[in-house]
Amino acid sequence: MNIRNIDHLTLTVSDIERSVRWYHEVFDLPIIEFDDGRRGVKIGKQKLNFQQSDEPHLPVAKHPTVGAADFAIIATDPLANILSHLTNYAVEIIDGPLPKQGALGNMTSIYVRDPDENLIEIGKYDK
C-alpha cells in the first residue's frame, strides 16, 4: 500500500453549528458542505468533519466520544500574532509556547481547547 497523506478527520461534537462557527472564527478555516448537508472545515489540503454525538455518521468509531480528540494543526503566522489572535477570541491557552518535535522538525506549540474540550496543539515550525 502506498499511503502518503491524511484526507480528513472526524470530530464527535455536542453541537455541530457551534463547532463549525468556532473553528471558522478562531482559526479562520473555510466552512465546507458535503454529502447532502454535512458540514466541516477545510485545513490546507485536508478537512475536519463534524458529527453530532447523538447522531453519528455511519460507519463510526467504536466509541465516538465528545472531547476525546487530541491533534495538532500548523500555523504560519508569527507567534506573537497567534497569541494575540487567541486572546482576542477569549481562547484560553492551556500550555505553551513550548518547543516540540513535529512531523517535519522542530516547532513551537501552544495548546488550547475547543468548545467540546478537544485538545488542539497549534504548532509553528522553526525556520
Side-chain angles (χ1 to χ4, degrees):
M1 223 189 275
N2 188 11
I3 297 174
R4 296 290 180 255
N5 216 329
I6 292 176
D7 182 78
H8 68 275
L9 297 173
T10 300
L11 287 183
T12 302
V13 299
S14 58
D15 182 329
I16 291 174
E17 290 308 313
R18 179 181 68 175
S19 293
V20 167
R21 186 175 59 253
W22 191 86
Y23 280 84
H24 172 67
E25 291 176 0
V26 172
F27 296 140
D28 196 28
L29 299 173
I31 299 169
I32 56 172
E33 290 193 20
F34 57 98
D35 292 345
D36 298 326
R38 289 191 65 200
R39 296 179 56 132
V41 293
K42 192 86 164 148
I43 302 177
K45 295 180 181 178
Q46 291 75 35
K47 64 180 181 159
L48 185 60
N49 297 342
F50 301 105
Q51 68 179 357
Q52 195 129 335
S53 56
D54 58 353
E55 296 178 22
H57 180 74
L58 300 176
V60 69
K62 181 82 171 177
H63 304 287
T65 305
V66 173
D70 177 345
F71 61 95
I73 57 178
I74 302 302
T76 58
D77 303 290
L79 190 58
N81 292 11
I82 295 169
L83 292 167
S84 175
H85 181 82
L86 293 171
T87 300
N88 288 341
Y89 280 92
V91 175
E92 180 184 359
I93 296 169
I94 303 302
D95 205 356
L98 300 168
K100 300 300 272 189
Q101 182 72 35
L104 301 176
N106 294 329
M107 62 184 188
T108 301
S109 294
I110 300 163
Y111 291 85
V112 300
R113 294 193 189 277
D114 73 5
D116 285 304
E117 301 296 318
N118 292 299
L119 183 65
I120 305 162
E121 177 180 351
I122 304 166
K124 177 170 176 31
Y125 277 103
D126 302 340
K127 299 278 175 177

